[in-house]
Amino acid sequence: TYGQVYMAKERVTKDLVALKKVRMDNEKEGFPITAIREIKILKSLNHKNVVKLKEIVTSKEKESNGNKGSIYMVFEYMDHDLTGLCDRPGLKF
């Protein structure tokens, strides 16, 4: 699913991670089924060519977001995403 992705640092290990915010825009109650499917598939995969889903975390509730917390999927950090690499076929790294 598409969503906002942020770079962050794990507090304990200091490793860089990618935080993907789960979109809850259209959800009245509950967790989006598309996010559940994505999490289930990613947790079941273990391959060097598939980004690793490390964990799911939540943020605290804030007035700025309607007193709701946000949910994030925590991934291992990658320098590039697939779309960016496809847009630049001559890129060497």
Side-chain angles (χ1 to χ4, degrees):
T1 60
Y2 293 100
Q4 296 171 312
V5 179
Y6 306 94
M7 182 173 43
K9 189 180 285 190
E10 285 189 5
R11 290 182 178 174
V12 176
T13 65
K14 307 295 185 207
D15 291 339
L16 286 179
V17 294
L19 296 178
K20 181 179 177 184
K21 187 174 184 179
V22 175
R23 293 182 60 180
M24 303 288 281
D25 304 341
N26 300 326
E27 298 302 318
K28 303 273 189 278
E29 293 181 20
F31 200 79
I33 190 69
T34 54
I36 292 171
R37 286 186 195 125
E38 182 178 7
I39 291 166
K40 185 176 178 180
I41 291 168
L42 288 168
K43 283 301 240 181
S44 70
L45 295 174
N46 183 18
H47 191 275
K48 65 179 182 176
N49 294 333
V50 178
V51 67
K52 182 179 191 291
L53 176 61
K54 295 174 148 241
E55 62 182 321
I56 309 298
V57 297
T58 60
S59 67
K60 293 184 179 181
E61 299 174 356
K62 294 182 185 177
E63 284 185 37
S64 62
N65 62 4
N67 290 324
K68 294 181 181 178
S70 297
I71 300 169
Y72 297 88
M73 291 187 268
V74 182
F75 292 93
E76 61 182 326
Y77 179 77
M78 296 284 130
D79 289 326
H80 303 282
D81 66 353
L82 186 58
T83 304
L85 292 173
C86 290
D87 290 344
R88 300 172 61 192
L91 179 67
K92 304 249 191 250
F93 55 92

